[in-house]
Amino acid sequence: MSRKRVKGISETEEMSLKQKRSQYQNPASDHGPIHSPFFGLTVVSCDHGDIRQSPNGLLIYSDEEVEEITLNRVPTAHDLVVREFVEAVRKRDDASTHDAEWGLANLEVCLAVLESAERREEVLLKHQVPW
């Protein structure tokens, strides 16, 4: 849906449309299993065992055994963006819905947020493109 068509609807409706669009642009079935994000090792120590995360869920280390509990995940918008990037790097022509100009504009916004926070003032953007 183009930006011009989205204008004029509520923020809630726009978010719903974006979420719906992201679900179908890059289906999970084409890319294998989805693993949980990993931001460092977390261990939970209990009376009779320990728990830590695994790529597929949780590992339970009890006095008798190690058991993995698999947690089902659906792809998030972040998962889809990362997959799109990986496929673009692999040079699959049909993989990317975004071009280099969009990537530069997106990076510019991310860097401007950090710079603006540091300087405590507005940062003007130069590389934005229509969506």
Side-chain angles (χ1 to χ4, degrees):
M1 189 162 276
S2 75
R3 185 68 187 153
K4 289 179 181 142
R5 288 180 62 197
V6 173
K7 216 179 229 183
I9 66 173
S10 74
E11 190 175 321
T12 304
E13 291 170 315
E14 182 176 354
M15 182 58 70
S16 175
L17 287 170
K18 287 179 180 180
Q19 287 172 341
K20 189 173 185 176
R21 183 192 68 217
S22 72
Q23 290 174 359
Y24 299 105
Q25 282 187 344
N26 202 344
S29 60
D30 294 348
H31 302 283
I34 297 169
H35 297 293
S36 299
F38 184 77
F39 301 108
L41 182 63
T42 303
V43 177
V44 177
S45 293
C46 304
D47 284 342
H48 297 284
D50 297 312
I51 305 169
R52 75 173 182 86
Q53 74 269 36
S54 74
N56 300 314
L58 299 172
L59 288 171
I60 314 277
Y61 295 85
S62 69
D63 292 336
E64 293 84 33
E65 65 181 345
V66 176
E67 176 187 2
E68 182 171 26
I69 298 175
T70 302
L71 303 174
N72 292 327
R73 275 189 75 237
V74 295
T76 65
H78 180 264
D79 294 324
L80 298 176
V81 169
V82 170
R83 284 187 182 153
E84 180 183 341
F85 176 73
V86 168
E87 293 301 320
V89 169
R90 290 181 179 161
K91 298 185 181 352
R92 283 191 41 193
D93 294 334
D94 62 340
S96 183
T97 38
H98 301 102
D99 58 16
E101 288 78 19
W102 180 90
L104 178 62
N106 197 0
L107 177 61
E108 179 185 40
V109 168
C110 296
L111 294 174
V113 166
L114 295 172
E115 185 180 345
S116 176
E118 185 177 311
R119 291 181 8 198
R120 297 191 185 280
E121 62 186 35
E122 288 182 358
V123 174
L124 297 178
L125 305 176
K126 302 173 190 161
H127 300 288
Q128 296 306 293
V129 293
W131 182 62

